[in-house]
PDB file of all heavy atoms in Angstrom:
ATOM      1  N   ARG S 294     159.984  44.304 -85.493  1.00  0.00           N
ATOM      2  CA  ARG S 294     160.198  45.621 -84.982  1.00  0.00           C
ATOM      3  C   ARG S 294     161.649  45.876 -84.512  1.00  0.00           C
ATOM      4  O   ARG S 294     162.127  45.048 -83.704  1.00  0.00           O
ATOM      5  CB  ARG S 294     159.210  45.793 -83.822  1.00  0.00           C
ATOM      6  CG  ARG S 294     159.086  47.187 -83.292  1.00  0.00           C
ATOM      7  CD  ARG S 294     157.839  47.145 -82.578  1.00  0.00           C
ATOM      8  NE  ARG S 294     156.726  47.238 -83.462  1.00  0.00           N
ATOM      9  CZ  ARG S 294     155.472  47.776 -83.132  1.00  0.00           C
ATOM     10  NH1 ARG S 294     155.212  48.224 -82.050  1.00  0.00           N
ATOM     11  NH2 ARG S 294     154.550  47.885 -84.107  1.00  0.00           N
ATOM     12  N   LYS S 318     144.994  38.946 -86.565  1.00  0.00           N
ATOM     13  CA  LYS S 318     144.827  39.638 -87.779  1.00  0.00           C
ATOM     14  C   LYS S 318     144.758  38.610 -89.021  1.00  0.00           C
ATOM     15  O   LYS S 318     143.889  38.705 -89.871  1.00  0.00           O
ATOM     16  CB  LYS S 318     146.064  40.596 -88.078  1.00  0.00           C
ATOM     17  CG  LYS S 318     145.804  41.475 -89.180  1.00  0.00           C
ATOM     18  CD  LYS S 318     147.043  42.352 -89.463  1.00  0.00           C
ATOM     19  CE  LYS S 318     147.342  43.243 -88.346  1.00  0.00           C
ATOM     20  NZ  LYS S 318     148.259  44.431 -88.722  1.00  0.00           N
ATOM     21  N   ASP S 370     158.552  46.078 -90.366  1.00  0.00           N
ATOM     22  CA  ASP S 370     157.568  46.651 -89.465  1.00  0.00           C
ATOM     23  C   ASP S 370     158.299  47.946 -88.974  1.00  0.00           C
ATOM     24  O   ASP S 370     159.286  48.331 -89.431  1.00  0.00           O
ATOM     25  CB  ASP S 370     157.376  45.662 -88.231  1.00  0.00           C
ATOM     26  CG  ASP S 370     156.275  46.118 -87.318  1.00  0.00           C
ATOM     27  OD1 ASP S 370     155.062  46.273 -87.749  1.00  0.00           O
ATOM     28  OD2 ASP S 370     156.471  46.305 -86.038  1.00  0.00           O
ATOM     29  N   VAL S 371     157.802  48.528 -87.906  1.00  0.00           N
ATOM     30  CA  VAL S 371     158.271  49.754 -87.282  1.00  0.00           C
ATOM     31  C   VAL S 371     159.930  49.612 -87.066  1.00  0.00           C
ATOM     32  O   VAL S 371     160.213  48.732 -86.470  1.00  0.00           O
ATOM     33  CB  VAL S 371     157.634  50.127 -85.815  1.00  0.00           C
ATOM     34  CG1 VAL S 371     158.125  51.334 -85.383  1.00  0.00           C
ATOM     35  CG2 VAL S 371     156.162  50.279 -86.111  1.00  0.00           C
ATOM     36  N   ASN S 400     155.900  48.261-101.174  1.00  0.00           N
ATOM     37  CA  ASN S 400     155.273  49.003-100.086  1.00  0.00           C
ATOM     38  C   ASN S 400     153.818  48.665-100.049  1.00  0.00           C
ATOM     39  O   ASN S 400     153.107  48.827-101.036  1.00  0.00           O
ATOM     40  CB  ASN S 400     155.608  50.480-100.403  1.00  0.00           C
ATOM     41  CG  ASN S 400     155.205  51.263 -99.065  1.00  0.00           C
ATOM     42  OD1 ASN S 400     154.331  50.954 -98.446  1.00  0.00           O
ATOM     43  ND2 ASN S 400     155.873  52.317 -99.034  1.00  0.00           N
ATOM     44  N   PRO S 401     153.205  48.312 -98.876  1.00  0.00           N
ATOM     45  CA  PRO S 401     151.826  47.912 -98.720  1.00  0.00           C
ATOM     46  C   PRO S 401     150.999  49.036 -98.288  1.00  0.00           C
ATOM     47  O   PRO S 401     149.834  48.835 -98.265  1.00  0.00           O
ATOM     48  CB  PRO S 401     151.896  46.780 -97.721  1.00  0.00           C
ATOM     49  CG  PRO S 401     152.960  47.276 -96.821  1.00  0.00           C
ATOM     50  CD  PRO S 401     154.018  47.902 -97.585  1.00  0.00           C
ATOM     51  N   SER S 402     151.491  50.236 -98.243  1.00  0.00           N
ATOM     52  CA  SER S 402     150.761  51.238 -97.430  1.00  0.00           C
ATOM     53  C   SER S 402     149.384  51.682 -98.224  1.00  0.00           C
ATOM     54  O   SER S 402     148.415  51.977 -97.629  1.00  0.00           O
ATOM     55  CB  SER S 402     151.574  52.569 -97.371  1.00  0.00           C
ATOM     56  OG  SER S 402     152.782  52.266 -96.708  1.00  0.00           O
ATOM     57  N   SER S 403     149.560  51.668 -99.615  1.00  0.00           N
ATOM     58  CA  SER S 403     148.316  52.070-100.324  1.00  0.00           C
ATOM     59  C   SER S 403     147.240  51.092-100.089  1.00  0.00           C
ATOM     60  O   SER S 403     145.978  51.394 -99.828  1.00  0.00           O
ATOM     61  CB  SER S 403     148.739  52.238-101.699  1.00  0.00           C
ATOM     62  OG  SER S 403     147.734  52.059-102.545  1.00  0.00           O
ATOM     63  N   THR S 405     146.904  49.134 -97.582  1.00  0.00           N
ATOM     64  CA  THR S 405     146.477  49.193 -96.102  1.00  0.00           C
ATOM     65  C   THR S 405     145.461  50.337 -95.981  1.00  0.00           C
ATOM     66  O   THR S 405     144.552  50.202 -95.344  1.00  0.00           O
ATOM     67  CB  THR S 405     147.713  49.542 -95.232  1.00  0.00           C
ATOM     68  OG1 THR S 405     148.545  48.447 -95.329  1.00  0.00           O
ATOM     69  CG2 THR S 405     147.338  49.673 -93.777  1.00  0.00           C
ATOM     70  N   GLN S 433     144.969  61.170 -87.756  1.00  0.00           N
ATOM     71  CA  GLN S 433     146.085  61.345 -86.982  1.00  0.00           C
ATOM     72  C   GLN S 433     147.333  60.726 -87.549  1.00  0.00           C
ATOM     73  O   GLN S 433     147.528  59.519 -87.623  1.00  0.00           O
ATOM     74  CB  GLN S 433     146.123  60.846 -85.484  1.00  0.00           C
ATOM     75  CG  GLN S 433     147.226  61.264 -84.602  1.00  0.00           C
ATOM     76  CD  GLN S 433     147.257  60.715 -83.285  1.00  0.00           C
ATOM     77  OE1 GLN S 433     146.757  59.469 -83.143  1.00  0.00           O
ATOM     78  NE2 GLN S 433     147.552  61.372 -82.304  1.00  0.00           N
ATOM     79  N   GLY S 434     148.288  61.451 -88.113  1.00  0.00           N
ATOM     80  CA  GLY S 434     149.583  60.930 -88.773  1.00  0.00           C
ATOM     81  C   GLY S 434     149.325  60.787 -90.347  1.00  0.00           C
ATOM     82  O   GLY S 434     148.544  60.162 -90.858  1.00  0.00           O
ATOM     83  N   MET S 435     150.143  61.699 -90.958  1.00  0.00           N
ATOM     84  CA  MET S 435     149.966  61.773 -92.424  1.00  0.00           C
ATOM     85  C   MET S 435     151.243  61.174 -93.078  1.00  0.00           C
ATOM     86  O   MET S 435     151.816  61.852 -93.904  1.00  0.00           O
ATOM     87  CB  MET S 435     149.624  63.275 -92.834  1.00  0.00           C
ATOM     88  CG  MET S 435     148.339  63.758 -92.322  1.00  0.00           C
ATOM     89  SD  MET S 435     147.907  65.219 -93.045  1.00  0.00           S
ATOM     90  CE  MET S 435     148.936  66.418 -92.287  1.00  0.00           C
ATOM     91  N   GLY S 436     151.460  59.977 -92.691  1.00  0.00           N
ATOM     92  CA  GLY S 436     152.580  59.167 -93.148  1.00  0.00           C
ATOM     93  C   GLY S 436     152.142  58.464 -94.465  1.00  0.00           C
ATOM     94  O   GLY S 436     151.201  58.878 -95.143  1.00  0.00           O
ATOM     95  N   HIS S 437     152.689  57.339 -94.561  1.00  0.00           N
ATOM     96  CA  HIS S 437     152.577  56.504 -95.869  1.00  0.00           C
ATOM     97  C   HIS S 437     150.996  56.184 -95.888  1.00  0.00           C
ATOM     98  O   HIS S 437     150.388  56.258 -96.945  1.00  0.00           O
ATOM     99  CB  HIS S 437     153.329  55.195 -95.899  1.00  0.00           C
ATOM    100  CG  HIS S 437     154.799  55.444 -95.911  1.00  0.00           C
ATOM    101  ND1 HIS S 437     155.688  55.413 -95.027  1.00  0.00           N
ATOM    102  CD2 HIS S 437     155.436  55.712 -97.146  1.00  0.00           C
ATOM    103  CE1 HIS S 437     156.815  55.709 -95.437  1.00  0.00           C
ATOM    104  NE2 HIS S 437     156.790  55.812 -96.694  1.00  0.00           N
ATOM    105  N   VAL S 438     150.460  55.611 -94.790  1.00  0.00           N
ATOM    106  CA  VAL S 438     149.090  55.267 -94.919  1.00  0.00           C
ATOM    107  C   VAL S 438     148.154  56.380 -94.771  1.00  0.00           C
ATOM    108  O   VAL S 438     147.118  56.471 -95.526  1.00  0.00           O
ATOM    109  CB  VAL S 438     148.674  54.246 -93.730  1.00  0.00           C
ATOM    110  CG1 VAL S 438     147.190  53.827 -93.780  1.00  0.00           C
ATOM    111  CG2 VAL S 438     149.564  53.030 -93.847  1.00  0.00           C
ATOM    112  N   GLY S 439     148.418  57.393 -93.897  1.00  0.00           N
ATOM    113  CA  GLY S 439     147.460  58.464 -93.503  1.00  0.00           C
ATOM    114  C   GLY S 439     147.347  59.347 -94.834  1.00  0.00           C
ATOM    115  O   GLY S 439     146.092  59.719 -95.180  1.00  0.00           O
ATOM    116  N   SER S 457     146.658  65.648 -89.012  1.00  0.00           N
ATOM    117  CA  SER S 457     147.770  66.183 -88.223  1.00  0.00           C
ATOM    118  C   SER S 457     148.934  65.291 -88.264  1.00  0.00           C
ATOM    119  O   SER S 457     149.045  64.269 -88.770  1.00  0.00           O
ATOM    120  CB  SER S 457     147.271  65.954 -86.646  1.00  0.00           C
ATOM    121  OG  SER S 457     147.592  64.831 -86.108  1.00  0.00           O
ATOM    122  N   ASP S 458     150.081  65.933 -87.959  1.00  0.00           N
ATOM    123  CA  ASP S 458     151.408  65.275 -88.061  1.00  0.00           C
ATOM    124  C   ASP S 458     152.375  66.033 -87.065  1.00  0.00           C
ATOM    125  O   ASP S 458     152.122  67.128 -86.789  1.00  0.00           O
ATOM    126  CB  ASP S 458     152.029  65.130 -89.361  1.00  0.00           C
ATOM    127  CG  ASP S 458     152.830  63.868 -89.492  1.00  0.00           C
ATOM    128  OD1 ASP S 458     154.074  63.973 -88.946  1.00  0.00           O
ATOM    129  OD2 ASP S 458     152.485  62.905 -90.104  1.00  0.00           O
ATOM    130  N   ILE S 459     153.432  65.380 -86.701  1.00  0.00           N
ATOM    131  CA  ILE S 459     154.417  65.931 -85.900  1.00  0.00           C
ATOM    132  C   ILE S 459     155.532  66.619 -86.740  1.00  0.00           C
ATOM    133  O   ILE S 459     156.359  67.425 -86.170  1.00  0.00           O
ATOM    134  CB  ILE S 459     154.933  65.086 -84.703  1.00  0.00           C
ATOM    135  CG1 ILE S 459     155.440  63.710 -85.369  1.00  0.00           C
ATOM    136  CG2 ILE S 459     153.887  64.759 -83.763  1.00  0.00           C
ATOM    137  CD1 ILE S 459     156.185  62.852 -84.366  1.00  0.00           C
ATOM    138  N   PHE S 460     155.600  66.417 -87.904  1.00  0.00           N
ATOM    139  CA  PHE S 460     156.732  66.920 -88.741  1.00  0.00           C
ATOM    140  C   PHE S 460     156.064  68.036 -89.647  1.00  0.00           C
ATOM    141  O   PHE S 460     155.206  67.710 -90.498  1.00  0.00           O
ATOM    142  CB  PHE S 460     157.311  65.824 -89.573  1.00  0.00           C
ATOM    143  CG  PHE S 460     158.097  64.952 -88.812  1.00  0.00           C
ATOM    144  CD1 PHE S 460     157.822  63.592 -88.585  1.00  0.00           C
ATOM    145  CD2 PHE S 460     159.132  65.560 -88.115  1.00  0.00           C
ATOM    146  CE1 PHE S 460     158.694  62.718 -87.866  1.00  0.00           C
ATOM    147  CE2 PHE S 460     160.001  64.541 -87.306  1.00  0.00           C
ATOM    148  CZ  PHE S 460     159.744  63.304 -87.166  1.00  0.00           C
ATOM    149  N   SER S 463     155.610  66.980 -93.392  1.00  0.00           N
ATOM    150  CA  SER S 463     154.449  66.136 -93.706  1.00  0.00           C
ATOM    151  C   SER S 463     153.285  67.059 -93.820  1.00  0.00           C
ATOM    152  O   SER S 463     152.331  66.814 -94.707  1.00  0.00           O
ATOM    153  CB  SER S 463     154.074  65.112 -92.489  1.00  0.00           C
ATOM    154  OG  SER S 463     155.238  64.316 -92.260  1.00  0.00           O
ATOM    155  N   ARG S 466     153.536  68.776 -97.279  1.00  0.00           N
ATOM    156  CA  ARG S 466     153.264  67.924 -98.367  1.00  0.00           C
ATOM    157  C   ARG S 466     151.815  67.608 -98.476  1.00  0.00           C
ATOM    158  O   ARG S 466     151.269  67.629 -99.695  1.00  0.00           O
ATOM    159  CB  ARG S 466     153.950  66.523 -98.055  1.00  0.00           C
ATOM    160  CG  ARG S 466     153.957  65.495 -99.190  1.00  0.00           C
ATOM    161  CD  ARG S 466     154.613  64.110 -98.779  1.00  0.00           C
ATOM    162  NE  ARG S 466     153.990  63.625 -97.616  1.00  0.00           N
ATOM    163  CZ  ARG S 466     154.023  62.304 -97.378  1.00  0.00           C
ATOM    164  NH1 ARG S 466     154.721  61.533 -98.141  1.00  0.00           N
ATOM    165  NH2 ARG S 466     153.464  61.803 -96.190  1.00  0.00           N
ATOM    166  N   SER S 481     151.139  68.962 -84.546  1.00  0.00           N
ATOM    167  CA  SER S 481     151.029  68.336 -83.240  1.00  0.00           C
ATOM    168  C   SER S 481     152.492  68.108 -82.694  1.00  0.00           C
ATOM    169  O   SER S 481     153.399  68.253 -83.413  1.00  0.00           O
ATOM    170  CB  SER S 481     150.453  67.040 -83.116  1.00  0.00           C
ATOM    171  OG  SER S 481     149.100  67.118 -83.248  1.00  0.00           O
ATOM    172  N   SER S 482     152.521  67.849 -81.463  1.00  0.00           N
ATOM    173  CA  SER S 482     153.762  67.288 -80.823  1.00  0.00           C
ATOM    174  C   SER S 482     153.468  66.022 -80.259  1.00  0.00           C
ATOM    175  O   SER S 482     152.295  65.614 -80.042  1.00  0.00           O
ATOM    176  CB  SER S 482     154.225  68.256 -79.780  1.00  0.00           C
ATOM    177  OG  SER S 482     153.402  68.362 -78.693  1.00  0.00           O
ATOM    178  N   LYS S 483     154.578  65.266 -80.016  1.00  0.00           N
ATOM    179  CA  LYS S 483     154.535  63.882 -79.713  1.00  0.00           C
ATOM    180  C   LYS S 483     153.390  63.520 -78.678  1.00  0.00           C
ATOM    181  O   LYS S 483     152.662  62.566 -78.721  1.00  0.00           O
ATOM    182  CB  LYS S 483     155.866  63.270 -79.318  1.00  0.00           C
ATOM    183  CG  LYS S 483     156.244  62.024 -80.151  1.00  0.00           C
ATOM    184  CD  LYS S 483     157.645  61.523 -79.890  1.00  0.00           C
ATOM    185  CE  LYS S 483     157.898  60.400 -80.792  1.00  0.00           C
ATOM    186  NZ  LYS S 483     159.272  60.029 -80.682  1.00  0.00           N
ATOM    187  N   ASN S 484     153.473  64.253 -77.502  1.00  0.00           N
ATOM    188  CA  ASN S 484     152.650  64.043 -76.389  1.00  0.00           C
ATOM    189  C   ASN S 484     151.384  64.837 -76.232  1.00  0.00           C
ATOM    190  O   ASN S 484     150.816  64.762 -75.261  1.00  0.00           O
ATOM    191  CB  ASN S 484     153.374  63.945 -75.097  1.00  0.00           C
ATOM    192  CG  ASN S 484     154.491  62.824 -75.121  1.00  0.00           C
ATOM    193  OD1 ASN S 484     154.261  61.742 -75.634  1.00  0.00           O
ATOM    194  ND2 ASN S 484     155.696  63.195 -74.830  1.00  0.00           N
ATOM    195  N   ASP S 485     151.045  65.462 -77.277  1.00  0.00           N
ATOM    196  CA  ASP S 485     149.965  66.382 -77.327  1.00  0.00           C
ATOM    197  C   ASP S 485     148.701  65.638 -77.866  1.00  0.00           C
ATOM    198  O   ASP S 485     148.667  65.226 -79.063  1.00  0.00           O
ATOM    199  CB  ASP S 485     150.320  67.669 -78.189  1.00  0.00           C
ATOM    200  CG  ASP S 485     149.036  68.560 -78.392  1.00  0.00           C
ATOM    201  OD1 ASP S 485     148.040  68.358 -77.591  1.00  0.00           O
ATOM    202  OD2 ASP S 485     149.014  69.434 -79.255  1.00  0.00           O
ATOM    203  N   LEU S 488     144.205  66.870 -80.141  1.00  0.00           N
ATOM    204  CA  LEU S 488     143.624  66.476 -81.419  1.00  0.00           C
ATOM    205  C   LEU S 488     142.411  65.612 -81.163  1.00  0.00           C
ATOM    206  O   LEU S 488     141.361  65.602 -81.873  1.00  0.00           O
ATOM    207  CB  LEU S 488     144.552  65.724 -82.391  1.00  0.00           C
ATOM    208  CG  LEU S 488     144.075  65.284 -83.717  1.00  0.00           C
ATOM    209  CD1 LEU S 488     143.958  66.491 -84.665  1.00  0.00           C
ATOM    210  CD2 LEU S 488     144.834  64.197 -84.326  1.00  0.00           C
ATOM    211  N   PRO S 498     143.279  56.894 -86.159  1.00  0.00           N
ATOM    212  CA  PRO S 498     144.592  56.770 -85.739  1.00  0.00           C
ATOM    213  C   PRO S 498     145.530  56.212 -86.793  1.00  0.00           C
ATOM    214  O   PRO S 498     145.295  55.001 -87.071  1.00  0.00           O
ATOM    215  CB  PRO S 498     144.608  56.080 -84.409  1.00  0.00           C
ATOM    216  CG  PRO S 498     143.093  55.833 -84.127  1.00  0.00           C
ATOM    217  CD  PRO S 498     142.369  55.870 -85.453  1.00  0.00           C
ATOM    218  N   CYS S 499     146.367  56.892 -87.317  1.00  0.00           N
ATOM    219  CA  CYS S 499     147.392  56.438 -88.412  1.00  0.00           C
ATOM    220  C   CYS S 499     148.759  56.836 -88.073  1.00  0.00           C
ATOM    221  O   CYS S 499     149.617  57.078 -88.885  1.00  0.00           O
ATOM    222  CB  CYS S 499     147.059  56.950 -89.807  1.00  0.00           C
ATOM    223  SG  CYS S 499     145.439  56.415 -90.316  1.00  0.00           S
ATOM    224  N   ALA S 500     149.108  56.894 -86.632  1.00  0.00           N
ATOM    225  CA  ALA S 500     150.366  57.260 -86.288  1.00  0.00           C
ATOM    226  C   ALA S 500     150.948  56.211 -85.518  1.00  0.00           C
ATOM    227  O   ALA S 500     151.522  55.273 -86.081  1.00  0.00           O
ATOM    228  CB  ALA S 500     150.333  58.645 -85.436  1.00  0.00           C
ATOM    229  N   THR S 501     151.005  56.275 -84.223  1.00  0.00           N
ATOM    230  CA  THR S 501     151.508  55.237 -83.347  1.00  0.00           C
ATOM    231  C   THR S 501     150.396  54.502 -82.475  1.00  0.00           C
ATOM    232  O   THR S 501     149.421  55.049 -82.441  1.00  0.00           O
ATOM    233  CB  THR S 501     152.561  55.868 -82.354  1.00  0.00           C
ATOM    234  OG1 THR S 501     151.878  56.997 -81.705  1.00  0.00           O
ATOM    235  CG2 THR S 501     153.806  56.376 -83.174  1.00  0.00           C
ATOM    236  N   GLY S 502     150.803  53.626 -81.737  1.00  0.00           N
ATOM    237  CA  GLY S 502     149.837  52.813 -80.966  1.00  0.00           C
ATOM    238  C   GLY S 502     149.759  53.453 -79.588  1.00  0.00           C
ATOM    239  O   GLY S 502     150.303  54.459 -79.221  1.00  0.00           O
ATOM    240  N   ALA S 521     144.596  52.772 -89.017  1.00  0.00           N
ATOM    241  CA  ALA S 521     145.551  51.839 -89.357  1.00  0.00           C
ATOM    242  C   ALA S 521     146.471  51.474 -88.286  1.00  0.00           C
ATOM    243  O   ALA S 521     147.130  50.471 -88.208  1.00  0.00           O
ATOM    244  CB  ALA S 521     146.413  52.380 -90.520  1.00  0.00           C
ATOM    245  N   ALA S 522     146.865  52.416 -87.246  1.00  0.00           N
ATOM    246  CA  ALA S 522     147.738  52.284 -86.325  1.00  0.00           C
ATOM    247  C   ALA S 522     147.626  50.865 -85.489  1.00  0.00           C
ATOM    248  O   ALA S 522     146.429  50.565 -85.198  1.00  0.00           O
ATOM    249  CB  ALA S 522     147.854  53.506 -85.330  1.00  0.00           C
ATOM    250  N   ASN S 523     148.684  50.121 -85.289  1.00  0.00           N
ATOM    251  CA  ASN S 523     148.592  48.979 -84.604  1.00  0.00           C
ATOM    252  C   ASN S 523     148.445  49.261 -83.046  1.00  0.00           C
ATOM    253  O   ASN S 523     148.971  50.296 -82.592  1.00  0.00           O
ATOM    254  CB  ASN S 523     149.881  48.179 -84.705  1.00  0.00           C
ATOM    255  CG  ASN S 523     149.790  47.405 -86.110  1.00  0.00           C
ATOM    256  OD1 ASN S 523     148.972  46.725 -86.479  1.00  0.00           O
ATOM    257  ND2 ASN S 523     151.008  47.506 -86.732  1.00  0.00           N
ATOM    258  N   ASN S 550     143.555  46.923 -90.707  1.00  0.00           N
ATOM    259  CA  ASN S 550     144.818  47.194 -91.295  1.00  0.00           C
ATOM    260  C   ASN S 550     145.438  45.883 -91.860  1.00  0.00           C
ATOM    261  O   ASN S 550     146.776  45.875 -91.993  1.00  0.00           O
ATOM    262  CB  ASN S 550     145.641  47.931 -90.285  1.00  0.00           C
ATOM    263  CG  ASN S 550     146.138  47.011 -89.056  1.00  0.00           C
ATOM    264  OD1 ASN S 550     146.020  45.889 -88.990  1.00  0.00           O
ATOM    265  ND2 ASN S 550     146.785  47.717 -88.091  1.00  0.00           N
ATOM    266  N   ARG S 551     144.743  44.786 -92.190  1.00  0.00           N
ATOM    267  CA  ARG S 551     145.305  43.617 -92.636  1.00  0.00           C
ATOM    268  C   ARG S 551     145.941  43.714 -93.912  1.00  0.00           C
ATOM    269  O   ARG S 551     146.665  42.711 -94.260  1.00  0.00           O
ATOM    270  CB  ARG S 551     144.128  42.677 -92.729  1.00  0.00           C
ATOM    271  CG  ARG S 551     143.061  43.075 -93.853  1.00  0.00           C
ATOM    272  CD  ARG S 551     142.119  41.964 -94.237  1.00  0.00           C
ATOM    273  NE  ARG S 551     141.184  41.583 -93.281  1.00  0.00           N
ATOM    274  CZ  ARG S 551     140.089  40.974 -93.619  1.00  0.00           C
ATOM    275  NH1 ARG S 551     139.823  40.643 -94.887  1.00  0.00           N
ATOM    276  NH2 ARG S 551     139.164  40.648 -92.730  1.00  0.00           N
ATOM    277  N   GLY S 553     148.331  45.101 -95.151  1.00  0.00           N
ATOM    278  CA  GLY S 553     149.879  45.061 -95.194  1.00  0.00           C
ATOM    279  C   GLY S 553     150.319  43.644 -95.291  1.00  0.00           C
ATOM    280  O   GLY S 553     151.092  43.238 -96.156  1.00  0.00           O
TER     281      GLY S 553
HETATM  282  P1  NAD E  11     154.620  56.279 -91.083  1.00  0.00           P
HETATM  283  O1  NAD E  11     155.822  56.215 -90.213  1.00  0.00           O
HETATM  284  O2  NAD E  11     154.819  56.443 -92.650  1.00  0.00           O
HETATM  285  O3  NAD E  11     153.678  57.379 -90.659  1.00  0.00           O
HETATM  286  C1  NAD E  11     153.259  57.719 -89.424  1.00  0.00           C
HETATM  287  C2  NAD E  11     153.052  59.238 -89.260  1.00  0.00           C
HETATM  288  O4  NAD E  11     152.681  59.547 -88.070  1.00  0.00           O
HETATM  289  C3  NAD E  11     154.387  59.966 -89.561  1.00  0.00           C
HETATM  290  O5  NAD E  11     154.278  61.002 -90.580  1.00  0.00           O
HETATM  291  C4  NAD E  11     154.767  60.666 -88.130  1.00  0.00           C
HETATM  292  O6  NAD E  11     155.356  61.847 -88.335  1.00  0.00           O
HETATM  293  C5  NAD E  11     153.223  60.703 -87.655  1.00  0.00           C
HETATM  294  N1  NAD E  11     153.148  60.876 -86.291  1.00  0.00           N
HETATM  295  C6  NAD E  11     153.902  60.144 -85.304  1.00  0.00           C
HETATM  296  N2  NAD E  11     153.444  60.558 -84.016  1.00  0.00           N
HETATM  297  C7  NAD E  11     152.360  61.402 -84.233  1.00  0.00           C
HETATM  298  C8  NAD E  11     151.475  62.144 -83.500  1.00  0.00           C
HETATM  299  N3  NAD E  11     151.526  61.987 -82.059  1.00  0.00           N
HETATM  300  N4  NAD E  11     150.521  62.849 -83.914  1.00  0.00           N
HETATM  301  C9  NAD E  11     150.487  63.088 -85.314  1.00  0.00           C
HETATM  302  N5  NAD E  11     151.330  62.333 -86.053  1.00  0.00           N
HETATM  303  C10 NAD E  11     152.251  61.549 -85.567  1.00  0.00           C
HETATM  304  O7  NAD E  11     153.784  54.964 -90.927  1.00  0.00           O
HETATM  305  P2  NAD E  11     152.735  54.281 -91.737  1.00  0.00           P
HETATM  306  O8  NAD E  11     153.340  53.266 -92.684  1.00  0.00           O
HETATM  307  O9  NAD E  11     151.781  55.344 -92.518  1.00  0.00           O
HETATM  308  O10 NAD E  11     151.909  53.481 -90.787  1.00  0.00           O
HETATM  309  C11 NAD E  11     150.921  54.250 -89.891  1.00  0.00           C
HETATM  310  C12 NAD E  11     150.487  53.247 -88.719  1.00  0.00           C
HETATM  311  O11 NAD E  11     149.841  52.223 -89.424  1.00  0.00           O
HETATM  312  C13 NAD E  11     151.592  52.654 -87.877  1.00  0.00           C
HETATM  313  O12 NAD E  11     151.175  52.527 -86.567  1.00  0.00           O
HETATM  314  C14 NAD E  11     151.775  51.225 -88.611  1.00  0.00           C
HETATM  315  O13 NAD E  11     152.351  50.321 -87.588  1.00  0.00           O
HETATM  316  C15 NAD E  11     150.402  50.886 -88.883  1.00  0.00           C
HETATM  317  N6  NAD E  11     150.305  49.991 -89.982  1.00  0.00           N
HETATM  318  C16 NAD E  11     150.882  50.308 -91.237  1.00  0.00           C
HETATM  319  C17 NAD E  11     150.787  49.483 -92.286  1.00  0.00           C
HETATM  320  C18 NAD E  11     151.390  49.760 -93.612  1.00  0.00           C
HETATM  321  O14 NAD E  11     151.033  49.105 -94.498  1.00  0.00           O
HETATM  322  N7  NAD E  11     152.240  50.781 -93.876  1.00  0.00           N
HETATM  323  C19 NAD E  11     150.123  48.114 -92.237  1.00  0.00           C
HETATM  324  C20 NAD E  11     149.535  47.942 -90.937  1.00  0.00           C
HETATM  325  C21 NAD E  11     149.700  48.809 -89.865  1.00  0.00           C
END
Side-chain angles (χ1 to χ4, degrees):
R294 185 159 286 199
K318 190 184 299 194
D370 194 59
V371 177
N400 193 326
S402 308
S403 155
T405 300
Q433 183 184 42
M435 296 190 285
H437 291 100
V438 180
S457 85
D458 207 284
I459 51 172
F460 288 118
S463 307
R466 188 180 57 152
S481 278
S482 62
K483 230 175 191 172
N484 298 316
D485 173 15
L488 179 80
C499 295
T501 52
N523 283 313
N550 70 10
R551 65 163 74 159

